[in-house]
Amino acid sequence: MRDTDDYFGEQVAASYDESSAAMFEPGVVDPAVTFLAESAEDGPALEFGIGTGRIALPLAARGVPVHGIDTSPAMLARLRAKAGGDEIAVPSEISRPRS
């Protein structure tokens, strides 16, 4: 099993938003966030692979309580550095099997 820190470590996290800029465009993000906000109704949302917060941050900005899970400390550090990132509930450490 590949160690996630090797794949989504600091080198990837540092350029992830810029290298994936098309995925951050409002035309891509807004429809997904609208659907999720409507589906959540008054409840919370859980995002697996929350990464740098592409979906979680705009969803939280719409008033949906967001919780997230990710195995990459580097990606989560990028999420935390963004406005509103410290409002997202994310476990501080994810236990994962090591090979």
Side-chain angles (χ1 to χ4, degrees):
M1 174 182 266
R2 170 182 246 164
D3 186 350
T4 307
D5 288 342
D6 288 344
Y7 188 73
F8 287 108
E10 182 55 38
Q11 186 174 0
V12 172
S15 62
Y16 182 80
D17 290 5
E18 294 79 21
S19 67
S20 304
M23 293 188 331
F24 286 79
E25 291 290 327
V28 175
V29 173
D30 290 349
V33 170
T34 297
F35 172 78
L36 293 169
E38 290 171 356
S39 297
E41 297 177 355
D42 292 329
L46 172 62
E47 184 176 358
F48 294 95
I50 196 168
T52 65
R54 179 177 70 99
I55 301 296
L57 290 170
L59 188 58
R62 291 197 190 185
V64 176
V66 178
H67 304 264
I69 295 174
D70 205 295
T71 59
S72 170
M75 296 290 270
L76 291 174
R78 298 289 168 169
L79 166 68
R80 291 283 182 237
K82 293 179 179 178
D86 57 345
E87 303 292 321
I88 307 293
V90 179
S92 60
E93 182 174 273
I94 301 290
S95 296
R96 61 181 185 263
R98 300 278 183 184
S99 56

